[in-house]
Amino acid sequence: MKFQKEISGTTELYALIGNPVSHSISPAMHNDAFAYYGMDARYLAFKVRSENLESALKGMVALGFKGFNVTMPHKREICQYLDALAENAALIGAVNTVVLSENGRTVGHNTDASGFISMMGDHGIAMGGKTMVQIGAGGAGRAIAIQVALEGLKKLILINRTIEKALALKELIEKHTDTQVEVCALEDEKSYLDRIENSDVLVNTSSVGMAETGSEFSFLKKVTFPNYVVDIIYNPDETELLLEAKKQGAQIIKGIEMLHWQGADAFTLWMGRPYATSSS
Ligand code: ATR
């Protein structure tokens, strides 16, 4: 049951800014938690065009918003306008959560990245000292790879269709962390089948397997999966990768969980307490 507090003269405001935002689950997610805790707060979604990003930020500061999320296409652009960046956000070069303090100071964080660590922790897995194989080196892949390296991952095997992108990410990670990075081309299956088998975690951050793309990995029937297989795709709910991994008895972690944890981590940054709702 929900006990949504009435909007009053003291209601605190949180928001999502991006374009588009109408599909977002964030308003429902955060308002449910505000209701659960009986908080005098509301979360709204605002469609903000790129040319209005800076003025939208200034407006939220002026109006005393307590925090906001940032989604496509503003995650990189917003960084230049903030007062400070958390270590992960600075290295990744993208922010999805901003915390505003009483005096209007803005600090950017990346819970797309930290959410991965929280999600793995929820499954009892600490990434420190582990070996992880990651497919994909795009925006989401960059965030996750950098975050696991900051968490003390021992070895990262990066598989990508475009090798140059994976090499650039390897260089950045090896410059800033102690994680050892190896790079493989997606088309060169023999270079990574054994590496997947010998790893602790396999994660797909690429769009291969997404319902809209119709593309699929060619190695699925040839590989022995590690204990944990993660896919950040949430449509379909269980990708072919996860279905094959499940057949082999691997523990699978679905994209919907990533979506939950990026929101849960944002809530904790703003509120200093764990995300919870009456149904959780
Ligand atoms: P996101 O922000 O969701 O990570 P992105 O930055 O466009 O999106 O990254 C998409 C990732 O999926 C990239 O790793 C991309 O590979 P490239 O770097 O070679 O572009 C990968 N990807 C997308 N379509 C693919 C396909 N058909 N086959 C293999 N990899 C694909």
Side-chain angles (χ1 to χ4, degrees), residues 106-278:
T106 53
V107 181
H109 299 260
N110 192 312
T111 70
D112 292 330
S114 67
F116 183 84
I117 303 301
S118 302
M119 176 181 78
M120 298 307 280
D122 189 51
H123 285 270
I125 312 153
M127 297 309 293
K130 298 282 197 305
T131 295
M132 183 173 106
V133 177
Q134 176 178 309
I135 308 170
R142 179 183 166 89
I144 291 172
I146 290 171
Q147 187 76 48
V148 290
L150 288 172
E151 295 296 318
L153 190 83
K154 185 175 169 211
K155 192 198 270 190
L156 175 67
I157 293 116
L158 261 182
I159 304 171
N160 201 42
R161 177 179 59 180
T162 310
I163 200 89
E164 292 76 21
K165 250 194 247 176
L167 286 169
L169 188 51
K170 167 185 160 78
E171 194 180 321
L172 180 82
I173 289 171
E174 289 187 337
K175 184 172 171 203
H176 293 277
T177 74
D178 294 329
T179 303
Q180 181 198 337
V181 185
E182 295 171 1
V183 165
C184 304
L186 183 60
E187 62 183 2
D188 185 12
E189 280 178 9
K190 63 178 185 329
S191 70
Y192 57 78
L193 288 179
D194 283 354
R195 285 170 154 131
I196 291 178
E197 182 173 354
N198 295 324
S199 67
D200 299 299
V201 178
L202 169 66
V203 55
N204 176 39
T205 72
S206 80
S207 30
V208 176
M210 213 180 258
E212 308 93 77
T213 65
S215 56
E216 205 40 81
F217 294 118
S218 54
F219 66 78
L220 295 182
K221 305 270 187 202
K222 305 174 197 163
V223 74
T224 301
F225 287 100
N227 286 340
Y228 297 97
V229 178
V230 186
D231 203 324
I232 70 165
I233 291 172
Y234 55 87
N235 182 24
D237 178 57
E238 286 188 8
T239 57
E240 285 298 317
L241 173 77
L242 294 183
L243 290 169
E244 289 296 331
K246 202 156 76 169
K247 276 190 206 160
Q248 289 188 16
Q251 185 170 338
I252 62 161
I253 303 175
K254 301 195 276 187
I256 188 75
E257 296 181 51
M258 268 297 286
L259 218 52
H260 166 84
W261 282 104
Q262 64 77 26
D265 273 14
F267 183 88
T268 303
L269 280 170
W270 294 325
M271 302 301 180
R273 52 173 117 179
Y275 179 82
T277 66
S278 51

Side-chain angles (χ1 to χ4, degrees), residues 13-19 21 44-71 73-74 77-78 81-82 98 100 104 106:
L13 274 177
Y14 296 83
L16 168 69
I17 58 168
N19 187 9
V21 291
L44 295 167
F46 296 106
K47 177 176 163 180
V48 173
R49 288 199 297 271
S50 293
E51 63 268 31
N52 294 328
L53 180 61
E54 187 179 11
S55 46
L57 169 67
K58 283 184 175 160
M60 287 190 288
V61 171
L63 293 172
F65 278 52
K66 298 293 171 187
F68 62 94
N69 286 129
V70 185
T71 189
H74 306 317
E77 182 82 11
I78 191 79
Y81 302 123
L82 300 174
V98 176
L100 279 95
T106 53

Side-chain angles (χ1 to χ4, degrees), residues 23-38:
H23 63 287
S24 172
I25 63 160
S26 295
M29 194 180 165
H30 290 289
N31 286 315
D32 277 355
F34 296 159
Y36 173 77
Y37 282 116

